[in-house]
Amino acid sequence: MAVQVSPFAAGCGAQISGVDIREPLEAADRDAIRKAWLDNLVLRFRGVPMTDAQHMAFTRQFGELEFNPAKLIEMKYGVSTQTDGRKAEIPPEISVISNIIEDGKAIGGLGDGEAFWHTDSSFVDVPPAASLLRSLECPPPSAGGATSFLNCYAAYDDLPADTKKRIDGMTMIHAATHSSGGKAHRGFETVEDVSKVPGARQPMVRTHPETGKKSLFLGRRINAYVLGLPVVESEELLDELWDHMVQAKYTWTQEWQVGDLVWWDNRCAMHRRDAFDPSMRRLMHRTQLKGTRPV
Ligand code: OGA
Ligand code: MN
């Protein structure tokens, strides 16, 4: 078996080497990669520029492909949030994350700004289990655009016992109103009362379906609401949990190179992205694996 797993010193993440993931995997390599993913939450493969077809074929060896989030939002909420300049030939299982404008239209989502801490698509009832993001074009690290990952198991484990007791079994709404860049999705612009926000009901503490471990599961901060609490108390509790959760000790930061593929466990890791120099091009394609209903 060729797979080598080199965990990073931070709270999550490992570099995987020794295997060409553009080729079909031997069963033992596939199992080793899967285990490394469950153990380390985030995997990085470096120096593997690939096509969409190779990216999708690699992903399929670990489960069923999920559609891109605009498609998921359209299916659940009946509104279109797809960027105008998306290329018709790109399969619906590929998300395009880019600041590139062609003919006056954005070819992908998220622009060049900061993306705030989030779980991908947890505003639908069954969010993806995994996201696999690959870099086709990116600015040098000195121009920004790094992506950080957060170990939500560790953040949960370190909570005071009384906080754990309080939130275990609580449900919250993961609002569908905003992108991770903080931009309102078309059709979701006005929210007067967060307790009535459109979104999915999710457990605040999630038990991972494969590892059995518990993690904090907060989605994104904007328009979040803890069911059963007055809005003021919900805001206080969420602020307290977020302050605790986003400590640097739980995070690892990826500085991108062209040909990187980073694969995170969307059930127990969150991520954010730094803004970057708007004069530079950044183009990422992403596949996702279908998940299971959070419990
Ligand atoms: C994502 C995402 C961050 C980035 O692909 O889900 O949040 O680095 N991307 O572009
Ligand atoms: Mn994301």
Side-chain angles (χ1 to χ4, degrees):
M1 191 173 65
V3 171
Q4 284 152 29
V5 183
S6 313
F8 302 123
C12 57
Q15 171 93 14
I16 304 295
S17 52
V19 60
D20 187 348
I21 61 170
R22 294 164 293 197
E23 301 291 332
L25 298 169
E26 307 275 345
D29 287 337
R30 188 197 56 214
D31 294 349
I33 292 172
R34 185 170 191 93
K35 181 176 184 311
W37 175 57
L38 293 174
D39 291 347
N40 296 281
L41 292 68
V42 187
L43 302 181
R44 181 176 71 197
F45 303 84
R46 186 141 259 184
V48 279
M50 58 174 91
T51 62
D52 284 346
Q54 287 171 324
H55 189 172
M56 288 165 64
F58 173 69
T59 309
R60 273 204 187 96
Q61 294 170 90
F62 299 94
E64 201 183 331
L65 293 183
E66 184 54 280
F67 291 120
N68 74 73
K71 180 104 183 155
L72 293 180
I73 291 178
E74 193 183 315
M75 293 189 305
K76 181 170 162 81
Y77 300 100
V79 297
S80 168
T81 61
Q82 197 64 265
T83 48
D84 298 334
R86 183 182 165 95
K87 299 207 167 75
E89 67 271 18
I90 295 177
E93 295 89 354
I94 295 273
S95 310
V96 180
I97 290 113
S98 185
N99 65 327
I100 298 171
I101 308 285
E102 283 178 12
D103 301 328
K105 294 173 180 168
I107 65 164
L110 272 187
D112 54 38
E114 177 178 357
F116 304 102
W117 285 113
H118 65 283
T119 296
D120 285 333
S121 296
S122 62
F123 43 72
V124 297
D125 298 333
V126 183
S131 297
L132 296 87
L133 185 63
R134 100 179 196 265
S135 160
L136 289 82
E137 293 183 59
C138 63
S142 59
T147 308
S148 299
F149 296 88
L150 175 78
N151 183 335
C152 301
Y153 292 136
Y156 173 79
D157 287 344
D158 286 353
L159 283 172
D162 56 340
T163 309
K164 282 186 185 163
K165 212 167 143 196
R166 179 168 181 215
I167 64 172
D168 254 321
M170 273 185 153
T171 301
M172 61 180 286
I173 301 183
H174 287 204
T177 56
H178 286 71
S179 76
S180 56
K183 206 168 147 257
H185 288 139
R186 255 197 310 255
F188 289 116
E189 287 82 0
T190 44
V191 174
E192 269 150 27
D193 177 355
V194 291
S195 70
K196 299 193 174 65
V197 82
R201 294 179 174 217
Q202 303 289 12
M204 294 185 81
V205 178
R206 179 172 187 180
T207 303
H208 195 287
E210 295 183 74
T211 66
K213 292 197 280 188
K214 287 182 175 181
S215 67
L216 267 177
F217 190 55
L218 303 184
R220 49 198 75 187
R221 180 64 187 89
I222 193 159
N223 290 334
Y225 170 67
V226 182
L227 284 183
L229 294 186
V231 171
V232 177
E233 276 178 43
S234 163
E235 293 290 314
E236 275 171 13
L237 175 58
L238 289 170
D239 284 344
E240 179 191 320
L241 293 171
W242 275 93
D243 282 351
H244 163 77
M245 186 172 69
V246 300
Q247 297 180 71
K249 64 182 173 187
Y250 303 129
T251 71
W252 167 69
T253 298
Q254 150 75 350
E255 293 192 332
W256 291 93
Q257 294 180 8
V258 170
D260 280 350
L261 178 86
V262 173
W263 170 9
W264 61 92
D265 192 328
N266 194 48
R267 300 164 291 191
C268 54
M270 290 190 134
H271 56 287
R272 64 170 294 280
R273 181 191 80 190
D274 289 336
F276 57 95
D277 182 340
S279 70
M280 298 202 171
R281 288 166 64 97
R282 189 174 186 272
L283 175 62
M284 322 285 263
H285 281 194
R286 187 186 66 189
T287 55
Q288 293 181 299
L289 286 170
K290 269 195 205 308
T292 51
R293 187 117 171 79
V295 287

CSV table of all heavy atoms in Angstrom, one decimal, residues 97 110 118 120 133 147 264 271 273 282 286, ligand 1:
chain,number,residue,atom,x,y,z
A,97,ILE,N,-16.4,28.1,-7.7
A,97,ILE,CA,-16.1,29.2,-6.7
A,97,ILE,C,-15.1,30.1,-7.4
A,97,ILE,O,-14.0,29.6,-7.6
A,97,ILE,CB,-15.7,28.6,-5.4
A,97,ILE,CG1,-16.9,27.9,-4.7
A,97,ILE,CG2,-15.2,29.7,-4.4
A,97,ILE,CD1,-16.8,26.5,-4.6
A,110,LEU,N,-19.1,33.4,-4.7
A,110,LEU,CA,-18.3,33.9,-3.5
A,110,LEU,C,-17.4,35.1,-3.8
A,110,LEU,O,-16.8,35.6,-2.9
A,110,LEU,CB,-17.4,32.8,-2.9
A,110,LEU,CG,-18.1,31.9,-1.8
A,110,LEU,CD1,-17.1,31.0,-1.2
A,110,LEU,CD2,-18.7,32.8,-0.7
A,118,HIS,N,-18.4,28.6,8.2
A,118,HIS,CA,-19.7,27.9,7.8
A,118,HIS,C,-19.5,26.4,7.6
A,118,HIS,O,-18.4,26.0,7.3
A,118,HIS,CB,-20.3,28.6,6.6
A,118,HIS,CG,-19.5,28.4,5.3
A,118,HIS,ND1,-18.4,29.1,5.1
A,118,HIS,CD2,-19.6,27.5,4.3
A,118,HIS,CE1,-17.8,28.7,3.9
A,118,HIS,NE2,-18.6,27.8,3.4
A,120,ASP,N,-21.0,23.8,4.8
A,120,ASP,CA,-21.7,23.9,3.4
A,120,ASP,C,-23.1,23.4,3.5
A,120,ASP,O,-23.4,22.2,3.9
A,120,ASP,CB,-20.9,23.1,2.4
A,120,ASP,CG,-19.6,23.8,2.0
A,120,ASP,OD1,-19.5,25.1,2.1
A,120,ASP,OD2,-18.6,23.1,1.6
A,133,LEU,N,-12.5,20.4,-2.8
A,133,LEU,CA,-12.3,21.7,-3.5
A,133,LEU,C,-11.0,21.7,-4.2
A,133,LEU,O,-10.0,21.4,-3.5
A,133,LEU,CB,-12.4,22.8,-2.5
A,133,LEU,CG,-12.3,24.3,-3.0
A,133,LEU,CD1,-13.5,24.6,-3.9
A,133,LEU,CD2,-12.3,25.2,-1.8
A,147,THR,N,-7.7,29.4,3.0
A,147,THR,CA,-8.9,28.8,3.5
A,147,THR,C,-8.6,28.1,4.8
A,147,THR,O,-7.7,27.3,4.9
A,147,THR,CB,-9.5,27.8,2.5
A,147,THR,OG1,-9.7,28.4,1.2
A,147,THR,CG2,-10.9,27.3,2.9
A,264,TRP,N,-12.8,18.1,2.8
A,264,TRP,CA,-13.1,18.1,4.3
A,264,TRP,C,-14.4,17.4,4.6
A,264,TRP,O,-15.2,17.2,3.7
A,264,TRP,CB,-13.2,19.6,4.7
A,264,TRP,CG,-14.2,20.5,4.1
A,264,TRP,CD1,-15.5,20.7,4.6
A,264,TRP,CD2,-14.1,21.3,3.0
A,264,TRP,NE1,-16.2,21.6,3.7
A,264,TRP,CE2,-15.3,22.0,2.8
A,264,TRP,CE3,-13.0,21.6,2.1
A,264,TRP,CZ2,-15.5,22.9,1.7
A,264,TRP,CZ3,-13.2,22.5,1.0
A,264,TRP,CH2,-14.4,23.1,0.9
A,271,HIS,N,-15.4,25.8,7.8
A,271,HIS,CA,-14.3,26.5,7.1
A,271,HIS,C,-14.7,27.9,6.8
A,271,HIS,O,-15.8,28.3,6.9
A,271,HIS,CB,-14.0,25.7,5.8
A,271,HIS,CG,-15.2,25.6,4.8
A,271,HIS,ND1,-16.2,24.7,5.1
A,271,HIS,CD2,-15.5,26.2,3.7
A,271,HIS,CE1,-17.1,24.8,4.1
A,271,HIS,NE2,-16.7,25.7,3.3
A,273,ARG,N,-12.8,31.6,4.5
A,273,ARG,CA,-11.8,32.0,3.5
A,273,ARG,C,-11.5,33.5,3.7
A,273,ARG,O,-12.4,34.3,3.9
A,273,ARG,CB,-12.3,31.8,2.1
A,273,ARG,CG,-11.3,32.2,1.0
A,273,ARG,CD,-11.9,32.2,-0.3
A,273,ARG,NE,-12.7,33.4,-0.5
A,273,ARG,CZ,-13.5,33.7,-1.6
A,273,ARG,NH1,-13.6,32.7,-2.5
A,273,ARG,NH2,-14.1,34.8,-1.7
A,282,ARG,N,-9.0,33.8,-9.3
A,282,ARG,CA,-9.0,32.6,-8.5
A,282,ARG,C,-10.2,31.8,-9.0
A,282,ARG,O,-11.3,32.3,-9.1
A,282,ARG,CB,-9.3,33.0,-7.0
A,282,ARG,CG,-9.1,31.9,-6.0
A,282,ARG,CD,-9.2,32.5,-4.6
A,282,ARG,NE,-8.9,31.6,-3.5
A,282,ARG,CZ,-9.8,30.8,-2.9
A,282,ARG,NH1,-11.1,30.8,-3.4
A,282,ARG,NH2,-9.5,30.1,-1.9
A,286,ARG,N,-15.5,22.3,-7.2
A,286,ARG,CA,-15.8,21.5,-6.0
A,286,ARG,C,-16.8,20.4,-6.3
A,286,ARG,O,-17.8,20.7,-7.0
A,286,ARG,CB,-16.4,22.4,-4.9
A,286,ARG,CG,-16.5,21.8,-3.6
A,286,ARG,CD,-17.2,22.7,-2.6
A,286,ARG,NE,-18.6,23.0,-3.0
A,286,ARG,CZ,-19.4,23.9,-2.5
A,286,ARG,NH1,-19.0,24.7,-1.5
A,286,ARG,NH2,-20.6,24.1,-2.9
B,1,OGA,C1,-16.4,26.2,-0.4
B,1,OGA,C2,-15.8,27.4,0.2
B,1,OGA,C3,-13.8,28.6,0.2
B,1,OGA,C4,-12.7,29.0,-0.8
B,1,OGA,O1,-15.9,25.7,-1.5
B,1,OGA,O2,-17.3,25.6,0.2
B,1,OGA,O3,-16.3,27.9,1.2
B,1,OGA,O4,-11.5,28.9,-0.4
B,1,OGA,N1,-14.7,27.8,-0.4
B,1,OGA,O5,-13.0,29.4,-1.9
